[in-house]
Amino acid sequence: MTGLAIAGWLHTDGSVSKRLERALLAGVLPIIAAGAASGWFYLRNKRLTGSYAGGQPEWGRVHLGRVPQSISDVLSSDMFWNTQFSVLRHPLDGRYFSPHTR
């Protein structure tokens, strides 16, 4: 986005205010387009499935044994944090690294 804004500034003729206007437009327009596309996608998911993520909570309960939890329960769960930080303990290529086996 910064590159588009700089290009708009450098390659526009006219007054400083006109150049600034075109530079800002060139830098902000892609962000607005991405936000509109993302917003449309999430609103579509909510309309079709009842969830912004597009998942089926009832299917998860029946087939995977999932239970709804509050955000505070999830954030205070050891299992959640162990899962999040497991990528730091296990290389992505599948090899296991333990600091105790050097």
Side-chain angles (χ1 to χ4, degrees):
M1 297 337 135
T2 305
L4 288 172
I6 291 171
W9 175 265
L10 293 176
H11 299 290
T12 300
D13 294 332
S15 66
V16 172
S17 63
K18 189 70 167 176
R19 292 173 68 185
L20 183 60
E21 177 185 322
R22 291 205 178 163
L24 288 175
L25 183 64
V28 170
L29 200 57
I31 294 170
I32 292 171
S38 297
W40 170 84
F41 178 76
Y42 287 116
L43 291 174
R44 177 183 173 274
N45 278 348
K46 180 71 171 171
R47 181 176 47 86
L48 293 176
T49 67
S51 136
Y52 288 110
Q56 300 289 331
E58 186 58 36
W59 187 91
R61 277 188 217 106
V62 172
H63 297 284
L64 302 175
R66 292 184 178 167
V67 292
Q69 294 181 332
S70 69
I71 291 176
S72 61
D73 287 343
V74 171
L75 292 178
S76 63
S77 164
D78 287 339
M79 187 172 126
F80 172 78
W81 291 108
N82 285 333
T83 303
Q84 298 305 308
F85 291 119
S86 67
V87 72
L88 300 175
R89 291 190 300 267
H90 303 285
L92 296 177
D93 63 3
R95 292 179 292 131
Y96 177 72
F97 171 77
S98 171
H100 304 292
T101 58
R102 284 193 174 212

